[in-house]
Amino acid sequence: MIERATWEDRLGLVDTGTPPEEPTVQEAQFSTEQVVEAARTSLDFLAALALPTIFKYFFPDIFQSIWTWLVSNVHKKRDFSQLAIGLPRGFAKTMVIKIFILYTILFTDKKFILIIAGTQGKANNIITDVMGMLNETNIKRVFGDWRLGAETDRQDLKRFGFRGRNIILMGAGADSDIRGITLENARPDLMIFDDIQTRADADSETVSTNLETWMTGTAMKAKSPEGCLFVFIANMYPTKWSLLRRIKHNPTWDKFIVGGILANGQSLWEDLHPIRQLLKEFHNDLATGRPEIFYAEVLNDETASVNNLLRLDSLPAYPLQEGEIAAGNFIIIDPSNDKANSDAVSIMYFDVHDAKPVCKQIKEGRLSPGDTIREALKIALTRNCRLIAIESNAFQYSLLYWFDFICLQMGIAGIQAVEVYSGQLSKNTRILNMFKELVAGELLIHPSCKAQVDVQISGFNPLKRDNTDGLLDCLAYAPKVMSEQAHLIMSMGIIEMQEFDQIEVQPVEVTSCF
């Protein structure tokens, strides 16, 4: 059953007008041609059509991009593209591959699909699930029954005539004997490597090297001379022998690798794995002393390792009681540029208690300069804060222009924006000094903000220049802002109630590919 209003709106098949207040689920009435075209062009529609009792959430934008990438390559003629996809554990990467195999059977000229998994049993399970989709009533009604042309129907091998060609679907375990494989005088023209390396394999240099040698020297050499698309899909492991890590640095592979938490602090797939759930998982791994597992297998970070410079369990407990009156407050903005691979903008609100800055609120995301200021003003008006300090190195001083422009446009008064500069110290040096203040209890983080900060602390590498460290930079600037702008920080209560509900912010979504 397909939710009619949802699918018709998304695919533009029928103009349904204004949807009812409480839409009901009913069978949608589409022509066969409409269904075929929708299944060919929409990952969500094909998934819902083939998995009506399993499909629950629309695939997010990054999955749609991966799907478009796969589909564009599978139609190439006499091509030997090598595609590597890195998705976090538990984010339905094998499900995407199963649907891709179904798409290949329904809409391409590929004839011999070889699926290689960690074991023969796992490869057989993938074949079983793909055939289950072909057996789905929706698929058979639209595309026909594959069983009418079946010749071989084993767990590890399916041979059948379907959609005007003879199709071979075969499964094999990693390191199996497939050298020179030929069936019906054909060799594989689509080869899929799905999680062929286990966690135990990744701990052994010998096993991992042998597996990589088998993949390149045996499996990939069994390709059809008329063309073969190679698809490798896996997640990172926290060892230097992780195959995905090695492939990432192999220039012959095209790569699409993404972590479970994006640069804007959001989950890769919020419906499936909410960010609060991912952060809880991180703190569980941290509590067991193995945060590198989260970094590698969820964030797909090839440099997964514990930040030995600062142990999070060494930080003092948060000492303040809720409701204590602050002596002052201020906001720090760590800007970013407009490039797709740039860091998120970081906005951090601080209270001042006992001459110590206390991080109380965080806002991160890919924001335009105007929206960055609007978000900061919302916090300032809500918190009765009159000081916004903006990191103004290089081009970032332009935010001061946007501050003046938006305040004039919105009729906001009583809030002052100032520049803050890094001085002669590098960013990483500032952050390392900030770690010392955290340990000494001279800089505090409210428990509601701790999870987001902990992720950046744990992943900080002082030898790299491209850390995700916007929040750490804000914390590092806090003592400097306090010493330079004390007269503004301590002057609270002068902002009269002003309208801020009218300030609308439209954040720009961003993806983070490692």
Side-chain angles (χ1 to χ4, degrees):
M1 305 294 283
I2 301 173
E3 187 174 341
R4 182 184 181 91
T6 301
W7 281 114
E8 291 178 346
D9 289 345
R10 286 177 67 89
L11 298 172
L13 297 176
V14 178
D15 182 7
T16 58
T18 304
E21 293 183 359
E22 296 182 358
T24 58
V25 176
Q26 56 182 301
E27 186 172 356
Q29 301 297 319
F30 301 142
S31 69
T32 299
E33 292 76 12
Q34 285 179 315
V35 173
V36 170
E37 182 61 16
R40 187 184 65 81
T41 58
S42 170
L43 167 60
D44 290 318
F45 192 93
L46 180 58
L49 195 70
L51 300 165
T53 62
I54 297 174
F55 181 78
K56 293 177 63 178
Y57 309 118
F58 290 126
F59 287 94
D61 290 343
I62 289 180
F63 280 74
Q64 300 289 350
S65 297
I66 293 172
W67 181 258
T68 300
W69 187 47
L70 287 170
V71 168
S72 65
N73 278 278
V74 78
H75 287 286
K76 292 180 179 178
K77 305 297 182 183
R78 200 68 186 269
D79 181 72
F80 298 90
S81 294
Q82 298 174 194
L83 311 181
I85 301 172
L87 289 172
R89 284 187 63 184
F91 276 79
K93 59 180 180 292
T94 299
M95 177 63 69
V96 171
I97 285 299
K98 292 172 186 175
I99 299 172
F100 175 64
I101 294 170
L102 175 66
Y103 175 94
T104 301
I105 292 171
L106 296 179
F107 298 112
T108 76
D109 295 328
K110 298 293 185 185
K111 297 178 180 179
F112 192 159
I113 304 169
L114 177 61
I115 303 165
I116 301 172
T119 64
Q120 182 67 59
K122 291 180 179 178
N124 292 351
N125 290 340
I126 293 175
I127 291 177
T128 298
D129 288 344
V130 171
M131 303 314 292
M133 289 189 282
L134 281 172
N135 283 323
E136 166 58 40
T137 301
N138 292 335
I139 297 295
K140 290 195 294 186
R141 284 178 178 175
V142 176
F143 298 97
D145 190 344
W146 71 276
R147 290 186 179 278
L148 298 179
E151 297 179 8
T152 303
D153 189 7
R154 301 196 325 236
Q155 279 190 315
D156 64 329
L157 178 63
K158 309 291 181 183
R159 295 163 53 178
F160 54 100
F162 188 62
R163 305 282 288 169
R165 68 194 192 281
N166 293 323
I167 297 173
I168 300 171
L169 186 59
M170 181 178 178
D175 208 23
S176 59
D177 184 13
I178 59 173
R179 182 181 297 272
I181 183 174
T182 303
L183 292 175
E184 297 181 2
N185 298 314
R187 285 174 174 261
D189 52 7
L190 172 59
M191 203 174 297
I192 293 174
F193 300 90
D194 182 80
D195 275 335
I196 65 171
Q197 183 184 43
T198 66
R199 178 65 179 82
D201 290 344
D203 286 330
S204 169
E205 179 181 10
T206 300
V207 172
S208 299
T209 300
N210 290 341
L211 180 60
E212 185 177 24
T213 300
W214 174 86
M215 183 179 77
T216 57
T218 299
M220 294 178 69
K221 294 298 185 290
K223 66 184 182 301
S224 167
E226 298 301 317
C228 181
L229 174 63
F230 302 95
V231 179
F232 178 94
I233 186 164
N235 58 260
M236 290 285 184
Y237 289 120
T239 80
K240 60 183 178 181
W241 301 296
S242 169
L243 277 188
L244 181 60
R245 178 180 182 176
R246 297 171 70 90
I247 285 176
K248 178 179 178 180
H249 296 282
N250 185 333
T252 64
W253 287 86
D254 295 325
K255 280 81 68 172
F256 198 128
I257 303 174
V258 64
I261 299 178
L262 304 178
N264 59 6
Q266 298 177 358
S267 170
L268 171 64
W269 194 343
E270 181 66 24
D271 289 337
L272 187 63
H273 290 290
I275 186 64
R276 63 180 183 277
Q277 175 182 319
L278 293 176
L279 292 175
K280 182 178 180 181
E281 181 181 342
F282 165 71
H283 280 283
N284 178 71
D285 291 349
L286 179 65
T288 62
R290 299 302 301 273
E292 72 275 11
I293 295 176
F294 185 88
Y295 303 146
E297 299 188 24
V298 178
L299 299 185
N300 270 329
D301 182 1
E302 65 170 310
T303 62
S305 61
V306 180
N307 175 7
N308 294 318
L309 298 168
L310 177 62
R311 289 180 55 88
L312 296 176
D313 56 6
S314 69
L315 297 179
Y318 184 73
L320 302 177
Q321 299 294 321
E322 293 299 327
E324 291 190 29
I325 299 176
N329 57 7
F330 59 97
I331 294 168
I332 296 178
I333 299 176
D334 180 55
S336 183
N337 56 42
D338 293 328
K339 295 181 180 179
N341 61 348
S342 64
D343 289 340
V345 173
S346 300
I347 304 172
M348 186 173 285
Y349 168 80
F350 293 86
D351 276 343
V352 177
H353 291 270
D354 298 325
K356 299 175 183 179
V358 183
C359 169
K360 283 288 192 73
Q361 184 175 345
I362 291 170
K363 176 67 179 181
E364 276 200 306
R366 276 299 308 280
L367 302 171
S368 68
D371 284 344
T372 298
I373 295 301
R374 292 184 184 95
E375 284 288 2
L377 287 172
K378 276 188 176 182
I379 297 173
L381 291 168
T382 303
R383 298 277 192 169
N384 197 26
C385 171
R386 69 173 298 186
L387 175 63
I388 299 175
I390 304 171
E391 181 186 9
S392 299
N393 297 318
F395 72 95
Q396 296 163 337
Y397 68 89
S398 64
L399 280 181
L400 290 174
Y401 163 80
W402 284 100
F403 174 84
D404 292 336
F405 175 81
I406 292 172
C407 284
L408 180 62
Q409 182 186 55
M410 307 301 296
I412 295 174
I415 301 175
Q416 187 166 343
V418 300
E419 300 173 336
V420 58
Y421 292 93
S422 59
Q424 296 181 347
L425 297 179
S426 69
K427 176 189 284 192
N428 284 3
T429 300
R430 295 196 309 270
I431 291 174
L432 292 175
N433 290 337
M434 181 269 294
F435 286 166
K436 298 176 183 178
E437 294 178 311
L438 283 176
V439 173
E442 296 301 318
L443 181 62
L444 304 177
I445 301 172
H446 189 270
S448 64
C449 302
K450 191 173 185 299
Q452 289 174 267
V453 175
D454 283 354
V455 170
Q456 291 195 7
I457 289 176
S458 301
F460 178 75
N461 183 347
L463 301 180
K464 292 172 55 180
R465 298 181 59 186
D466 57 349
N467 292 290
T468 301
D469 52 17
L471 300 181
L472 305 184
D473 214 19
C474 288
L475 289 167
Y477 274 122
K480 184 179 180 69
V481 172
M482 283 187 59
S483 66
E484 294 180 352
Q485 307 294 338
H487 61 292
L488 294 175
I489 290 173
M490 302 307 170
S491 300
M492 297 178 63
I494 68 166
I495 303 177
E496 298 178 356
M497 184 62 65
Q498 301 178 67
E499 291 292 334
F500 60 91
D501 290 339
Q502 58 183 314
I503 303 178
E504 296 183 358
V505 178
Q506 299 296 330
V508 179
E509 296 296 332
V510 65
T511 64
S512 174
C513 295
F514 296 90

